[in-house]
Amino acid sequence: MAGGAVLAMSGALAVAAQAAEATQTPAGILSDGTPVTAVTLKAGNGVSATILSFGATLEKFMAPDRDGKLADITLGYDNLSGYEAHPNYWGATIGRYANRIAGGRFTLDDKTYQLPKNDRENSLHGGGQGFDVRNWKVESIKSGPVAQAVFSLESADGDAGYPGAVNARVTYSLDENGSLRIAFDATTSEPTIINMTNHAIFNMAGEGAPQGAMENVLTVPASHYTPVNEALIPTGELRGVERTAFDFRKGKSLNQGLRDGTDQQIVYGRGIDHNFALDKGVTKEPELAARLEDPASGRVLEVLTTEPGLQVYSGNFLDGTFVGKHGHLYRMGDGIALEPQKFPDSPNQSSFVSARVDPGKPYRHVMIYRVSVDR
């Protein structure tokens, strides 16, 4: 009996040790006096994710290398004031519409809507008034085999020019193995467009690594991408990646082709800032969209999604203007964003998967950041 009790207790302790934990702490106060909360989800293997209520932002993502050494693999700021004073989408929840909308304009049911322009003549990531600069409500947190934090936001009819009153929710879930699942859900009071994603910028060598992120090896299972015009708006074409800098099907380091001035697409983007049409298309459950690995440390990130597209942004506009974590000046190539989503400018391009959302037909996008170690 005693031996059985000891065995049962040790088994219970092992389960408890593997369980993922969720904790909540104050993160500071915005300039208007609004308090911001930080929620940390921590797995038994040391992987942890810290999310700020401001922007429902993935502020920190810690992952071990092959020797067990932890490093933050996302770019960002050391404190809340940086995120408020210099919003750069780093780690933020993007909405209502991720990526670019040409002219900041779209038509729905014969009515045209004008959005704020914050990217030359286009609207980008909500036009500078998006979900990334709102303080979300922390609905709930819980520990267990899966640690979870739920954030919610109400966006009024006409908010930033978009129709419909939208109730949005983002659920971050971290399991015992260190897979971070992000579920985006939204309902609307009238027809609108919604396209939500996370805008973390990664370096698997660790944030601020002196060599930058361009030695990271990227794999994207996409045979086609959407070429853009000089304003970075898709032309509507699906172009094959074969024999171009955009062919990541077999995996290659990011620095291959990024300075190829003979490719007009690279010139337009100052590197890669393009949407890849994933071979899998829209799926019911998240499937692989990208794999990013640092050969030196062994850290691996897999990005899975239910959406049809992946925006790959190679940090082309990082110019050392802002001081990031640990006093680092982020420069071109110091990180890469892998943003699952609908295709850019979908509301104006009928051949792309529609971003329309109607009352009674909720929006949902599920993505996963799965970290591991290649030994």
Side-chain angles (χ1 to χ4, degrees):
M1 286 291 288
V6 169
L7 216 73
M9 183 177 292
S10 64
L13 288 173
V15 171
Q18 292 176 0
E21 298 177 345
T23 57
Q24 180 174 308
T25 57
I29 298 176
L30 297 173
S31 57
D32 66 358
T34 302
V36 172
T37 299
V39 177
T40 297
L41 310 177
K42 187 173 182 179
N45 61 355
V47 174
S48 67
T50 299
I51 304 105
L52 300 177
S53 60
F54 182 69
T57 297
L58 179 59
E59 185 264 341
K60 186 183 295 184
F61 197 15
M62 303 296 294
D65 66 7
R66 62 170 60 94
D67 297 319
K69 181 181 178 181
L70 290 170
D72 188 352
I73 58 173
T74 59
L75 277 60
Y77 294 107
D78 278 328
N79 48 53
L80 177 63
S81 62
Y83 288 97
E84 182 182 20
H86 307 294
N88 282 299
Y89 311 112
W90 297 342
T93 293
I94 305 300
R96 288 188 191 187
Y97 196 92
N99 220 311
R100 295 175 174 88
I101 294 180
R105 227 175 8 259
F106 69 95
T107 299
L108 199 62
D109 295 337
D110 299 322
K111 184 175 180 179
T112 298
Y113 297 89
Q114 182 64 56
L115 312 174
K117 298 178 183 180
N118 63 327
D119 182 63
R120 290 181 274 187
E121 289 301 307
N122 306 316
S123 183
L124 173 67
H125 296 330
Q129 302 174 22
F131 292 176
D132 60 299
V133 291
R134 310 293 174 86
N135 194 44
W136 293 60
K137 179 183 178 182
V138 181
E139 288 282 353
S140 65
I141 68 169
K142 70 174 183 178
S143 302
V146 176
Q148 188 177 89
V150 181
F151 301 83
S152 65
L153 180 71
E154 294 185 3
S155 176
D157 181 21
D159 185 10
Y162 291 89
V166 166
N167 292 320
R169 178 171 294 198
V170 181
T171 303
Y172 285 87
S173 305
L174 184 70
D175 68 20
E176 296 167 346
N177 298 316
S179 287
L180 182 64
R181 183 178 185 268
I182 309 175
F184 305 93
D185 295 278
T187 59
T188 182
S189 63
E190 62 181 272
T192 191
I193 58 171
I194 301 176
N195 183 31
M196 295 173 66
T197 192
N198 182 271
H199 199 292
I201 299 184
F202 293 100
N203 183 353
M204 299 311 292
E207 170 277 327
Q211 70 270 32
M214 293 301 99
E215 293 299 324
N216 285 196
V217 174
L218 176 65
T219 304
V220 179
S223 303
H224 296 81
Y225 76 105
T226 52
V228 297
N229 60 23
E230 61 183 1
L232 300 181
I233 297 295
T235 63
E237 176 190 356
L238 288 181
R239 184 177 296 176
V241 300
E242 191 169 355
R243 293 190 294 275
T244 74
F246 299 88
D247 191 352
F248 289 94
R249 290 174 295 177
K250 295 181 179 179
K252 65 181 181 181
S253 61
L254 288 166
N255 57 17
Q256 295 186 44
L258 284 189
R259 300 184 186 278
D260 183 7
T262 65
D263 187 329
Q264 188 61 56
Q265 288 298 305
I266 295 294
V267 174
Y268 283 155
R270 295 170 59 175
I272 293 178
D273 190 3
H274 292 73
N275 169 69
F276 286 70
L278 298 169
D279 292 343
K280 73 175 190 63
V282 178
T283 50
K284 185 176 181 180
E285 297 297 328
E287 294 185 14
L288 186 68
R291 175 186 168 95
L292 186 67
E293 57 187 303
D294 173 42
S297 68
R299 292 189 190 92
V300 176
L301 171 74
E302 291 176 304
V303 181
L304 297 85
T305 181
T306 54
E307 291 289 57
L310 178 79
Q311 185 78 11
V312 176
Y313 166 60
S314 54
N316 318 321
F317 296 92
L318 297 174
D319 60 4
T321 303
F322 303 117
V323 180
K325 295 174 181 175
H326 308 294
H328 294 141
L329 288 176
Y330 297 138
R331 302 161 301 167
M332 183 180 287
D334 278 349
I336 177 171
L338 303 168
E339 308 161 61
Q341 56 191 262
K342 298 287 194 302
F343 293 1
D345 201 36
S346 287
N348 296 313
Q349 309 220 21
S350 59
S351 63
F352 291 170
V353 174
S354 175
R356 178 181 179 128
V357 179
D358 290 297
K361 297 179 179 180
Y363 168 87
R364 184 167 175 81
H365 169 207
V366 180
M367 59 180 286
I368 296 172
Y369 291 141
R370 185 165 64 199
V371 293
S372 60
V373 177
D374 184 356
R375 300 189 184 278

